[in-house]
Structure formats: structure tokens, C-alpha cells
Amino acid sequence: LEVADEAVGWSLVEWEFESSPQDDWHGVAFYQDPGSTDHHDSVLPATLEAGPGAVVTSNPWYNDDGYAVTDTSSTSLDEDDYIGWTVEPAEGEVIDLRHLRMGLFAASGSYDAELWVSQDGFDSYETVDLTPSPPLDAEGIGSGNGTEVIGDLGGVSFLSDLAGAVEFRLYFW
């Protein structure tokens, strides 16, 4: 997951999940660190958090280099089923958020995803356009594949000249 300022080409905050350190990865309980692995000096480090309906779990399968959550099996958007994170400029900094890039994966079937961003704790929010547009096809366990998804943040006016924190929530079902 990467949040970037496209105009300058900076990656502002990102998570890069590593494969299990075990030689025999299959069946090994392996939890990913939810803290950002890198951030630009103009933003604070960030942490992924699961919503109350999503359960963070180990991922002992082929795609163990991802942040795994379960229990998100509703048939429509459930406001408890998300992964969230906050992007906050460092003191005295002003940033522009232009796009984000993430890899999504599900075990089977197709799934929907929707990305919200808010500057007021989700009393109000904007929905971010995602490409490709959901529903997304799951690649299946063992494929080693996911779907690269790009979020266009340029259409969200409050993400330009940003001097305060904004929160993202990625919903999936």
C-alpha cells in the first residue's frame, strides 16, 4: 500500500509486507507488522487498523506477504468491515495527496471494495474512485497473484494543501 504525491513523485507513506521468515512457510502462523515500513519526512509514520468487523489474522498461505483479515463476508458494504489508516503531515508541512496504489487479494470468487477518506472522523467522507472498478476477481489461493488497484485522490478537494490528518478506510465484502 502506497500513498503518493504524484506531481513530485514522492511516496509519502507505504507498507511493504514481507514473506514469512520461515523456510517452510505453509501452515506457519505469520502476522504482518501493521506499522508503515517507510514514510517521507513530510508525513508521520502510520499504522493499519482493522475495523471492529474485520479480524486481523496470520496468513500461512502463498500470499503471506499481505496484511490478512477475515470475517468480512457480508453481501454488501458493512461499515465495520474495513482496514483503516491515517495520513498526517509532519509539523509545519503541507502536502498534496494525488493517488494511492495497493494490491488486493481474496481466496476465491469475486469481491467488492470501496475506499472512503475523511477529515472529520467519518461524520462526512468522500468515496475515492478505484481502478479497476470493483467487483474484483479473486486470483485464488496458490496463484501468487493479487489485483493492483489505484485510487485517484486528485478529485478530493481537501487532499490538496493538506495541513492536518486525514483518515482512509478500505471496505471490502
Side-chain angles (χ1 to χ4, degrees), residues 2 40 42 62-63 68 81 85 114-115 122 148 164 166 172:
E2 171 189 61
H40 191 273
S42 62
Y62 292 97
N63 293 56
D81 292 349
W85 65 94
E114 192 166 296
L115 181 65
F122 291 94
E148 181 179 46
V166 293
F172 35 89

Side-chain angles (χ1 to χ4, degrees), residues 55-129:
V55 176
V56 176
T57 185
S58 67
N59 187 355
W61 305 104
Y62 292 97
N63 293 56
D64 70 340
D65 59 341
Y67 190 73
V69 294
T70 60
D71 294 353
T72 57
S73 57
S74 58
T75 57
S76 61
L77 190 146
D78 180 330
E79 291 190 26
D80 287 340
D81 292 349
Y82 65 86
I83 295 175
W85 65 94
T86 299
V87 175
E88 183 174 1
E91 187 174 337
E93 296 288 339
V94 176
I95 59 175
D96 291 331
L97 301 180
R98 296 290 175 217
H99 78 272
L100 65 82
R101 182 179 62 164
M102 59 191 146
L104 299 179
F105 172 82
S108 63
S110 64
Y111 60 98
D112 282 292
E114 192 166 296
L115 181 65
W116 294 359
V117 61
S118 176
Q119 59 183 351
D120 62 10
F122 291 94
D123 288 336
S124 63
Y125 63 88
E126 294 283 335
T127 301
V128 175
D129 290 333

